[in-house]
Amino acid sequence: MNPVETRLKELMLASLDGDARSYGILLNDLARHLRFYFLRRLSDAHKGDADDLVQETLMSLHTRRATYETDRPFTAWLHAIARYKLIDHFRRNRIRVTVPLDDAEDLFAVDQSDAAADRMDVERLLQSVPEKSRDLIYRTKIEGQSIAEVAQSTGLSEASVKVGIHRGIKAIAAKLKGRADDDR
């Protein structure tokens, strides 16, 4: 577990048990933590609102502390409260977060389903060739090892490695040609 999470959770649990000193330390630590949290998320024009958001979040934490589920991570619970306070702030002040179009591609998830399907196709094709050729092809074409490295690690000559790769690729090509002929 994260040391910050551990420390904050211990302070929260002690404060829930009535330890006023732990509660004071917790609030001081959280004020610093939340200030950085909000400053990272506010534009330069709204950085001055960070202290108000910290106070609102700490007040919400105080009034809702009995709802904290002690078997759950504390910082996740805290950040949920802080996130809702930030969203309320954006709505209340009609702040719209915008991103320049040049940076927009970073916001979208990359669809890697084609790459995963391609990997599965390659694995399936490799399974159709003899194990020796499959291993040689995998090491050189997928892992990127040189012919010399593979020859040294397998105890084969470089010529034998080349022949094994060639035979495996030829078998894959024949299999693919057979599929293409079947599709016609």
Side-chain angles (χ1 to χ4, degrees), residues 67-88:
T67 66
Y68 172 61
E69 297 176 25
T70 58
D71 59 329
R72 310 288 300 236
F74 174 72
T75 53
W77 181 75
L78 172 71
H79 287 139
I81 294 171
R83 182 174 163 267
Y84 286 116
K85 290 299 173 187
L86 185 62
I87 291 169
D88 289 345

Side-chain angles (χ1 to χ4, degrees), residues 19 39 94 105 112 151:
D19 185 348
L39 287 173
R94 293 187 171 94
E105 66 186 39
Q112 296 185 353

Side-chain angles (χ1 to χ4, degrees), residues 32-51:
R32 279 193 313 277
H33 178 80
L34 289 168
R35 183 159 171 47
F36 289 121
Y37 175 87
F38 288 121
L39 287 173
R40 281 192 307 270
R41 287 159 177 79
L42 292 168
S43 67
D44 289 339
H46 297 280
K47 297 263 189 222
D49 298 333
D51 290 330

Side-chain angles (χ1 to χ4, degrees), residues 13 15 27 29 47 49 52 61 66 72 84 90 122 147 150-151 159 163 174:
L13 294 175
S15 68
L27 292 177
D29 287 359
K47 297 263 189 222
D49 298 333
D52 292 338
L61 177 131
R72 310 288 300 236
Y84 286 116
F90 286 159
V122 167
I147 300 288
V150 173
V163 168

Side-chain angles (χ1 to χ4, degrees), residues 77-167:
W77 181 75
L78 172 71
H79 287 139
I81 294 171
R83 182 174 163 267
Y84 286 116
K85 290 299 173 187
L86 185 62
I87 291 169
D88 289 345
H89 173 75
F90 286 159
R91 287 182 183 145
R92 189 172 47 247
N93 294 294
R94 293 187 171 94
I95 298 170
R96 300 201 76 130
V97 179
T98 59
V99 176
L101 287 178
D102 295 341
D103 300 335
E105 66 186 39
D106 296 338
L107 297 175
F108 299 105
V110 177
D111 181 10
Q112 296 185 353
S113 59
D114 288 342
D118 292 346
R119 268 194 307 279
M120 288 173 35
D121 288 344
V122 167
E123 292 293 329
R124 203 172 307 119
L125 285 170
L126 283 174
Q127 292 302 318
S128 69
V129 298
E131 186 176 348
K132 180 181 173 186
S133 291
R134 177 174 53 236
D135 181 52
L136 297 174
I137 292 169
Y138 190 84
R139 289 175 177 219
T140 56
K141 304 301 181 185
I142 295 176
E143 289 181 354
Q145 293 181 29
S146 69
I147 300 288
E149 291 171 325
V150 173
Q152 184 178 3
S153 67
T154 59
L156 298 172
S157 69
E158 288 185 26
S160 295
V161 170
K162 289 178 185 177
V163 168
I165 292 169
H166 177 74
R167 287 181 180 160

